Amino acid sequence: MAKASASKSRTCCGFIPMKTGVTILTIFGILNKLSGFYGLISFDFEDKIALSVYIYSLFALIVFGVGFYGIQNDNLQIVRWYTAFYWVDCVVSTATTILFAVKWYVLTDHSLPELADDPVKLKEHDDVFRMESTVSILILVILRLVHVSVQMACNCNENMK
């Protein structure tokens, strides 16, 4: 019985070995943070908030790389530091996702001037955009909830040791 309990505490989400789960999360984080590099090379510096997020993503990319190194080499000091940063990154990512979603879906005018003379097509365009916006926001919320729940499952299982 004690062996089963110890075995369960070494898993991520109850079925993936802890090291594998954390490695997968880190790899996805690294892929996500690469967007900062692509944002900078787009040379779109008009939006200062987006620019600061691109720069933050590059910094986070370095931290995720160091965290990946710590995970692969079982360096507990680096992994603890990386875990704390991962939670901070989750808060920063959530805040910027909300900011950019509101900016895009609420504050940006998506009307098409060429449809101004055709009220039927204009209504159809508005309805489609409203539906796409709702689906996109739901997907963003679900992905963020999955992100946090997997992260909490990994941390809770790690604390059960």
Side-chain angles (χ1 to χ4, degrees):
M1 183 77 147
K3 187 175 183 180
S5 175
S7 172
K8 184 171 175 118
S9 70
R10 300 290 300 160
T11 63
C12 179
C13 301
F15 65 95
I16 300 172
M18 181 62 71
K19 187 172 182 176
T20 303
V22 173
T23 300
I24 291 169
L25 290 173
T26 300
I27 289 170
F28 278 114
I30 288 171
L31 292 173
N32 178 268
K33 298 306 168 194
L34 282 172
S35 65
F37 173 73
Y38 291 110
L40 285 176
I41 64 172
S42 71
F43 297 114
D44 180 18
F45 303 125
E46 290 179 23
D47 187 350
K48 300 301 180 198
I49 295 172
L51 179 63
S52 63
V53 171
Y54 298 150
I55 293 168
Y56 166 79
S57 290
L58 291 177
F59 168 73
L61 179 63
I62 293 167
V63 174
F64 274 63
V66 171
F68 185 77
Y69 171 82
I71 293 163
Q72 296 309 307
N73 294 302
D74 294 322
N75 186 323
L76 189 58
Q77 185 72 19
I78 291 174
V79 171
R80 284 184 179 161
W81 178 73
Y82 170 63
T83 302
F85 180 80
Y86 196 88
W87 277 104
V88 169
D89 180 67
C90 183
V91 171
V92 170
S93 296
T94 301
T96 57
T97 299
I98 291 169
L99 176 74
F100 291 134
V102 167
K103 189 175 179 181
W104 178 254
Y105 294 115
V106 178
L107 303 177
T108 302
D109 181 21
H110 294 280
S111 61
L112 298 175
E114 61 268 14
L115 296 180
D117 296 337
D118 190 348
V120 173
K121 285 188 178 182
L122 182 63
K123 182 179 177 344
E124 181 181 311
H125 170 267
D126 292 344
D127 290 344
V128 167
F129 183 77
R130 194 172 307 110
M131 185 266 312
E132 287 177 351
S133 298
T134 303
V135 170
S136 297
I137 290 169
L138 284 173
I139 289 171
L140 286 171
V141 169
I142 290 168
L143 288 175
R144 186 56 56 189
L145 290 173
V146 167
H147 180 154
V148 170
S149 64
V150 168
Q151 195 170 338
M152 289 181 70
C154 287
N155 282 346
C156 289
N157 286 332
E158 188 64 26
N159 292 334
M160 293 174 71
K161 285 185 189 176

